[in-house]
Amino acid sequence: LCMKKMMAVLVATGLSASLLCSCGQKAATEGTTGNGSSAETKKAEEKKEGKEVTLKVFDSMAYGIESYDALIKKFEEQHPGVKVEIQHAANDGNTILQSRVNSGDIPDVFLNEPGAGAKLYYEYSYDWSKDKDLLSKFNEDALNLTKTEEGAIYGLPWTYETMALIYNKDVFDKAGIKELPNSVEELGEICKTLKSNGVQPISLPGKEKWVLGQLATHFIMDKSLDAEGTVEALKSGKKTFKDLPHWDNFFKFLDLVKEYDGDKAVETGWEPAENAVATGEAAMLHMGDWAQANFTKMGPDTKLAFMPVPVGTAAEDNTILSSVGWVFQVYKDSPNLELAKEYCEYVLCSEDGAKWMTEGVDAVPANNTTELQPTGDLPQDAQKYIKAGKTNGWIHTICDTTYSDTVGPLIQGYLLGEYSKEDVTQGFEDYFKNLK
């Protein structure tokens, strides 16, 4: 994926992402770099001296690890004398990366969510704004996520990621459910039907604070303002949570989880929840299309689709949220700067990278050049909503990196009966008021 941490985390075997272009070989043959040094000369000298160059990469997504590792091996094969040292750290990725920066062990390449997460490291990041040929291969809206008012671009976008409720279509068909809900009350009726058919209606990964934080944003969203406008209104005090049109329905949704999953919801991680839906033991969960590869492994024949979250009383209120999930940042003072840039170009733009992201990860590209497309149910379904203009942006990545760690425990406390609706609302209110 998202805590996005989106994702913010995530540990999995199937990462949501896909970016491609056709520029990898160009980067490999260019010798003179922007800082005036010759990357090829440096490589030749190091190879002659028998030195091995270590490129440090920090991956805070950890989806598609097996296929990613295979891609890295191909990069190493094409670059004799280069060893890619990668750290997969989906859990507490922000904390681990910050610790490495504080200790001076800054990775050559590191991944962050666009928005607050990436901004923390802008001062350490290479500015891609002069790499016009490469930038032209990405969609402008994706590049804008790390573009400053001054025009600097501090990260290369990876893939579009979309999140909402995901449901098992075969389970719905067997239960005779023909229509998707347009309110929490209608969702409740569907839950009753599923329960009477011996199926757990919702398997919420309530152990994961990032999942709960992302879920809440559907009910925070004011569509008239979209994501940025909603956050700004709450930060400035122009709006309070009492003014949000669908906030009260968030607790009705959580009450459904309590009714059909009880305390177990807070004990359930992302993998058991996904497995329950993949095998038909459960019908729904909240997750993003980054989980497609995982679902394919767990249940190859499972038919999946997105269900826009019924936050209001009509179809036009429903929310499905989409954004670029991750960006690649390069340490501007890296001793291997040109190699780091070449690595990003290879992963995001080469034919090998294209196949990894569309075939290995099964995700929606954020560039404008690739002809390869994902084949999984979820990314294909996501594309339909994106092309139809029926998605809104991500709120949690606009907030600071403490969002999920702050609001996640509040939601867990409500599910466990430890906090009231008023307690949780006040906690959210205080969080947004203190945002800088």
Side-chain angles (χ1 to χ4, degrees):
L1 98 127
C2 237
M3 358 183 215
K4 187 140 138 90
K5 89 261 56 6
M6 61 168 250
M7 281 252 112
V9 100
L10 308 160
V11 176
T13 55
L15 166 85
S16 155
S18 163
L19 282 180
L20 351 152
C21 336
S22 51
C23 46
Q25 290 188 346
K26 178 180 177 183
T29 56
E30 287 178 343
T32 303
T33 66
N35 61 8
S37 65
S38 171
E40 292 303 320
T41 300
K42 181 179 178 182
K43 288 179 190 175
E45 290 174 351
E46 288 171 337
K47 184 177 179 182
K48 185 176 180 181
E49 296 173 6
K51 292 182 179 179
E52 183 179 83
V53 178
T54 298
L55 187 71
K56 297 180 179 180
V57 178
F58 183 85
D59 171 14
S60 48
M61 300 172 298
Y63 266 95
I65 292 177
E66 293 176 7
S67 51
Y68 193 13
D69 287 346
L71 183 68
I72 291 170
K73 287 181 180 178
K74 287 186 178 181
F75 180 81
E76 292 174 336
E77 289 171 0
Q78 296 174 23
H79 297 77
V82 172
K83 175 66 178 176
V84 179
E85 178 184 284
I86 187 163
Q87 180 180 8
H88 297 294
N91 287 333
D92 297 322
N94 289 323
T95 302
I96 296 171
L97 179 57
Q98 187 63 62
S99 176
R100 289 188 61 170
V101 170
N102 292 342
S103 68
D105 181 25
I106 304 177
D108 301 298
V109 179
F110 46 94
L111 279 67
N112 270 305
E113 291 179 316
K119 285 180 181 178
L120 287 174
Y121 304 98
Y122 278 4
E123 64 179 298
Y124 303 100
S125 299
Y126 173 75
D127 176 8
W128 296 89
S129 60
K130 294 181 180 179
D131 297 79
K132 302 297 185 183
D133 288 343
L134 176 60
L135 295 182
S136 68
K137 295 174 171 38
F138 295 96
N139 293 332
E140 186 176 355
D141 67 315
L143 287 173
N144 286 342
L145 291 172
T146 61
K147 189 173 185 178
T148 66
E149 293 182 0
E150 295 74 27
I153 296 176
Y154 288 120
L156 295 180
W158 194 26
T159 63
Y160 292 108
E161 295 184 349
T162 302
M163 61 182 179
L165 292 174
I166 293 172
Y167 70 100
N168 186 316
K169 295 176 71 174
D170 288 334
V171 169
F172 268 50
D173 288 343
K174 289 178 182 177
I177 300 170
K178 307 283 185 189
E179 301 290 333
L180 296 181
N182 291 318
S183 68
V184 178
E185 288 75 18
E186 290 181 8
L187 180 63
E189 291 302 313
I190 286 176
C191 288
K192 287 181 182 178
T193 300
L194 291 166
K195 185 68 175 180
S196 66
N197 278 266
V199 177
Q200 180 181 338
I202 303 173
S203 182
L204 183 68
K207 183 179 179 180
E208 316 290 357
K209 292 177 286 186
W210 59 271
V211 172
L212 298 176
Q214 289 177 359
L215 172 63
T217 62
H218 289 274
F219 297 87
I220 295 173
M221 180 70 68
D222 184 330
K223 283 191 171 183
S224 67
L225 301 174
D226 205 8
E228 288 191 12
T230 300
V231 172
E232 185 55 40
L234 291 171
K235 282 172 58 178
S236 65
K238 291 180 181 178
K239 279 187 178 290
T240 68
F241 272 72
K242 291 181 181 178
D243 300 320
L244 298 179
H246 307 304
W247 179 244
D248 285 347
N249 288 332
F250 179 46
F251 297 94
K252 294 179 182 179
F253 181 92
L254 294 178
D255 288 342
L256 286 179
V257 174
K258 291 168 70 173
E259 180 177 354
Y260 293 104
D261 206 8
D263 294 349
K264 182 183 175 184
V266 180
E267 301 171 3
T268 303
W270 63 265
E271 191 168 24
E274 289 177 3
N275 187 63
V277 173
T279 59
E281 176 187 336
M284 297 175 279
L285 84 162
H286 184 273
M287 193 57 66
D289 55 2
W290 55 80
Q292 178 64 64
N294 250 13
F295 278 119
T296 301
K297 273 191 171 184
M298 294 172 174
D301 299 323
T302 304
K303 296 178 182 178
L304 301 164
F306 275 115
M307 176 193 297
V309 180
V311 301
T313 58
E316 57 265 28
D317 298 327
N318 297 345
T319 56
I320 183 164
L321 309 181
S322 187
S323 177
V324 168
W326 300 92
V327 292
F328 280 65
Q329 294 173 269
V330 167
Y331 178 34
K332 66 178 182 180
D333 295 322
S334 165
N336 304 303
L337 178 61
E338 295 307 314
L339 182 63
K341 290 172 59 180
E342 187 176 336
Y343 176 83
C344 290
E345 202 165 9
Y346 175 77
V347 169
L348 299 177
C349 304
S350 71
E351 183 178 350
D352 291 334
K355 288 182 178 179
W356 164 52
M357 294 186 201
T358 53
E359 297 176 9
V361 177
D362 215 352
V364 180
N367 66 80
N368 55 33
T369 61
T370 180
E371 295 181 359
L372 296 175
Q373 293 294 318
T375 58
D377 291 344
L378 295 178
Q380 287 194 353
D381 206 22
Q383 284 182 314
K384 294 176 184 177
Y385 286 102
I386 293 170
K387 289 178 179 179
K390 294 184 177 181
T391 64
N392 289 92
W394 283 6
I395 285 176
H396 67 281
T397 51
I398 301 173
C399 300
D400 64 28
T401 55
T402 68
Y403 171 75
S404 291
D405 286 336
T406 301
V407 305
L410 294 173
I411 302 168
Q412 289 172 333
Y414 182 83
L415 291 171
L416 293 171
E418 297 171 353
Y419 295 137
S420 66
K421 169 185 170 183
E422 291 71 26
D423 294 332
V424 176
T425 300
Q426 187 62 55
F428 270 84
E429 194 88 57
D430 291 343
Y431 170 81
F432 278 92
K433 283 182 179 178
N434 290 322
L435 271 180
K436 295 180 180 179

